[in-house]
Amino acid sequence: MKTSTLGVVAPVTFLQFASSAWAAGLDRTNQPIGILFEEGNYVEFSFGRTDPTGHGVDTGFNTDTGDVLGGFNLPGAGIKLQLTDKLSAALIYDKPWGANTAFPGAVGDTTSMLGGTRAFAESDALTGILRYKFNETWSVHGGLRYQEIAGNITLSGLAYGPANGYDVALERDGGTGWLVGGAYERPEIAMRLAVTYNSEVDHNFRSHENIAPGVTSITEATTAQSLNVDFQTGIAPKTLLLANIRWADHTVTDLVPAALGSDLINLDDAVTYSIGLAHRFNQHWAGSVSFAYDDVHGDDVVSPLSPVHGYRAITLGLRYEKDNMRISGGIRYSKLGDALAAPGGGAVRARFDDSDAVSVGVKVGFSF
């Protein structure tokens, strides 16, 4: 059976703090490298938006916590250059890690368990990759990633006892990691199996804690190593089966400011599975549907700074292409996993049962 190659139609992979597009940990983008497999020279620009809703129940007062999950934007860009018949290069910009959690209430709240607790983090990353094709079947790829992260965390509410009102600001810090992988392809059936390992990236944040005013310390933190397995194959004329598995070791992401002396995050590692179909309707239009499941290891007791435990999601995508241009758009609905928020893994202070998120995105690409 011979089918025409059709790339993934969904425009952007949407991820989020405490669950992969919700992913586990701080994961937001899954660190994709699909642009490396585009034919010839290619450039793309994307923008995504995720808006979650997460109301919990304060177990101490049996009251609504308010909506604690904040939305976020995901701009992205990439360029791929075919340097020779066998050698190509790509440069990718994304925002791979982030957090936006805020329990309504004043800092130092004494009328709720977690009111005023907040966590915010943002990142920017540039990834440079080279790919070498031995033949039409086998290739290897590898490169370097530079990323910067900054953030702020506030512990607030009766649940924190003497630490109620604690705040730490983490100045933007840069770190470098690497990636390596390989791919097996059979172009006649549009089949590709690509495996990519992403290394950990270490950071040393200049930190300002309000319980030690005027004192600047260094807080060490590490973002997760991960392994992505991407698969596609033609299963009928103009139809592709798409699948992905991602493992990320978020347990390494400890954050222990000097004056506080305890870990603020307490994350579990996770495996995310997705499967879908993409179909070309005619020479201009194609569509896709995919389903994803995020399996976070451990029980459903989580940090209040990330009150979600896994997710299930469905994504619908549509793509229009003409001449050298492609425009993709998509929408994703994620049912976020139930979670019990417990500071430091101790007593449960809030329960979250019905959190969800809606993500939308658009991507424009040009071959040249």
Side-chain angles (χ1 to χ4, degrees):
M1 175 184 65
K2 184 174 182 179
T3 62
S4 58
T5 300
L6 174 66
V8 177
V9 178
V12 179
T13 302
F14 302 104
L15 301 169
Q16 150 191 4
F17 179 47
S19 65
S20 189
W22 239 253
L26 305 175
D27 216 339
R28 279 188 171 170
T29 68
N30 274 352
Q31 301 169 305
I33 63 163
I35 191 174
L36 195 61
F37 298 95
E38 294 288 345
E39 294 185 5
N41 299 324
Y42 177 78
V43 63
E44 67 181 27
F45 306 92
S46 63
F47 181 82
R49 171 74 184 178
T50 291
D51 285 304
T53 300
H55 285 261
V57 175
D58 186 313
T59 58
F61 294 85
N62 198 32
T63 55
D64 187 349
T65 63
D67 189 1
V68 307
L69 301 177
F72 56 88
N73 298 325
L74 284 180
I79 185 170
K80 181 257 180 177
L81 299 176
Q82 192 66 46
L83 304 178
T84 70
D85 289 343
K86 294 183 177 294
L87 184 65
S88 57
L91 182 65
I92 301 168
Y93 166 76
D94 69 341
K95 300 175 78 67
W97 315 105
N100 190 9
T101 302
F103 286 75
V107 175
D109 200 328
T110 59
T111 62
S112 69
M113 289 289 105
L114 297 167
T117 294
R118 301 169 188 169
F120 177 79
E122 62 178 0
S123 66
D124 297 279
L126 278 176
T127 304
I129 315 172
L130 290 175
R131 181 188 183 214
Y132 182 80
K133 294 181 65 174
F134 298 102
N135 49 48
E136 290 300 310
T137 302
W138 294 99
S139 65
V140 293
H141 56 269
L144 296 175
R145 173 178 291 109
Y146 175 77
Q147 66 183 33
E148 293 186 349
I149 302 177
N152 183 275
I153 294 175
T154 299
L155 307 181
S156 180
L158 294 178
Y160 291 102
N164 184 8
Y166 169 82
D167 181 86
V168 59
L170 307 171
E171 291 187 12
R172 180 171 286 266
D173 178 75
T176 302
W178 52 273
L179 67 153
V180 65
Y184 172 76
E185 297 178 272
R186 292 183 58 190
E188 71 275 13
I189 58 171
M191 192 273 273
R192 179 195 308 135
L193 174 64
V195 180
T196 305
Y197 171 80
N198 298 281
S199 75
E200 298 177 352
V201 178
D202 296 325
H203 288 272
N204 295 288
F205 298 102
R206 287 173 55 87
S207 306
H208 306 275
E209 302 172 80
N210 64 351
I211 59 175
V215 176
T216 300
S217 60
I218 299 298
T219 301
E220 298 179 355
T222 299
T223 56
Q225 64 176 332
S226 64
L227 184 70
N228 286 352
V229 180
D230 297 291
F231 177 76
Q232 70 171 51
T233 186
I235 58 173
K238 301 181 181 179
T239 301
L240 281 180
L241 171 70
L242 309 167
N244 169 267
I245 300 175
R246 174 176 169 85
W247 167 78
D249 182 19
H250 298 290
T251 59
V252 302
T253 310
D254 296 328
L255 191 68
V256 185
L260 183 67
S262 60
D263 185 11
L264 289 172
I265 303 181
N266 300 315
L267 301 175
D268 294 318
D269 64 346
V271 180
T272 304
Y273 306 90
S274 66
I275 189 167
L277 294 173
H279 181 75
R280 182 181 294 280
F281 304 114
N282 54 48
Q283 65 177 348
H284 297 303
W285 291 97
S288 70
V289 59
S290 64
F291 303 89
Y293 170 68
D294 191 54
D295 181 20
V296 180
H297 294 174
D299 57 30
D300 56 357
V301 176
V302 300
S303 167
L305 304 180
S306 57
V308 176
H309 186 75
Y311 74 90
R312 293 174 175 82
I314 180 172
T315 302
L316 300 177
L318 190 65
R319 187 173 80 186
Y320 175 80
E321 56 184 285
K322 184 177 182 181
D323 299 327
N324 68 331
M325 181 185 69
R326 301 177 190 170
I327 302 176
S328 304
I331 184 168
R332 174 173 184 158
Y333 174 77
S334 302
K335 179 66 176 68
L336 308 181
D338 297 344
L340 302 173
V348 173
R349 302 302 188 182
R351 184 180 69 251
F352 292 83
D353 295 327
D354 296 305
S355 302
D356 59 7
V358 175
S359 306
V360 295
V362 63
K363 179 167 68 178
V364 181
F366 299 92
S367 299
F368 64 96

